[in-house]
Amino acid sequence: AAEALTSASPKDEIKAAMAAFLEAKSFHADMEIDNPQMPGGKMKATMDFVAPDRYRMQMPMGTQTIVGDTLYMTMQGKTMKVPMQKDQLAQWRDPGKINEHEATMTVEAQGSDAVDGTPARKYAVRNTQPQPVEMTLWVSEAHLPLQILNRMEMQGKSVETRIRYSRYNDASIKIDPPQ
């Protein structure tokens, strides 16, 4: 597959990375949101995913576990079960919404870089629809996203979200409903 990508356009390489991401059996993500509108201005969270439909997100206010179409919210030692619609999860499986916005996005290759010592190719992804967004994406030699840095304006303030992906296809990641 590596030979085929050498002649691909930057946009095709990003599409290939998102396709590989969607095929992942599991992953871990560390997220940092820098938003002047939030208390403290910053929030850190982690997320684990196990295919096809299990997620665990640990945030300062508590843990959310999703198994199928059920959300378990655990805060202050108490767990609530909340039914949800299946399509609510789509955003976590297509972080760049690449296919949805392909017609209006531009992708520029920005050369070689590294994320936590792992070699990567760096890309600038810009889009004007549905709102202006500027994203930098680091892709591993295995064609998987290593990091996404997303910058956007919200209510006149710059908001930055950084997501670092690791532990792709790690069988030791387990997500079970809370007891």
Side-chain angles (χ1 to χ4, degrees):
E3 304 79 32
L5 283 182
T6 55
S7 62
S9 73
K11 189 185 275 191
D12 287 339
E13 291 184 28
I14 293 298
K15 285 172 55 182
M18 286 301 121
F21 180 76
L22 290 172
E23 292 295 316
K25 303 268 185 280
S26 63
F27 63 79
H28 174 81
D30 290 298
M31 296 180 275
E32 287 181 33
I33 301 168
D34 195 348
N35 180 346
Q37 316 245 340
M38 289 190 306
K42 291 185 187 300
M43 184 182 87
K44 288 187 177 191
T46 62
M47 184 176 73
D48 291 308
F49 167 77
V50 176
D53 59 2
R54 292 180 178 231
Y55 299 81
R56 179 179 44 244
M57 189 164 351
Q58 294 175 302
M59 298 172 288
M61 68 280 287
T63 300
Q64 294 182 357
T65 304
I66 298 168
V67 177
D69 57 2
T70 304
L71 166 64
Y72 301 87
M73 290 181 9
T74 305
M75 294 189 295
Q76 299 169 343
K78 294 185 180 6
T79 299
M80 289 184 341
K81 233 171 120 168
V82 182
M84 50 186 292
Q85 299 169 350
K86 288 254 187 227
D87 59 351
Q88 283 181 274
L89 303 177
Q91 65 174 328
W92 299 114
R93 295 289 286 139
D94 184 7
K97 302 210 182 318
I98 300 298
N99 292 335
E100 193 177 315
H101 303 300
E102 181 184 351
T104 56
M105 80 174 180
T106 60
V107 180
E108 174 191 331
Q110 296 193 313
S112 296
D113 201 357
V115 176
D116 296 329
T118 301
R121 291 182 308 280
K122 184 177 171 184
Y123 299 92
V125 181
R126 293 178 186 86
N127 207 337
T128 56
Q129 304 297 324
Q131 72 239 4
V133 66
E134 188 173 313
M135 182 169 64
T136 307
L137 182 63
W138 287 260
V139 178
S140 73
E141 293 172 347
H143 312 298
L144 286 163
L146 291 175
Q147 178 171 261
I148 293 175
L149 179 61
N150 189 357
R151 290 186 186 95
M152 59 192 292
E153 292 290 317
M154 283 178 71
Q155 301 169 340
K157 304 267 193 246
S158 178
V159 176
E160 188 173 283
T161 304
R162 179 183 307 270
I163 305 172
R164 287 191 175 199
Y165 294 97
S166 60
R167 298 178 62 197
Y168 282 106
N169 302 313
D170 181 340
S172 72
I173 299 175
K174 304 279 188 228
I175 301 173
D176 294 311
Q179 297 303 312

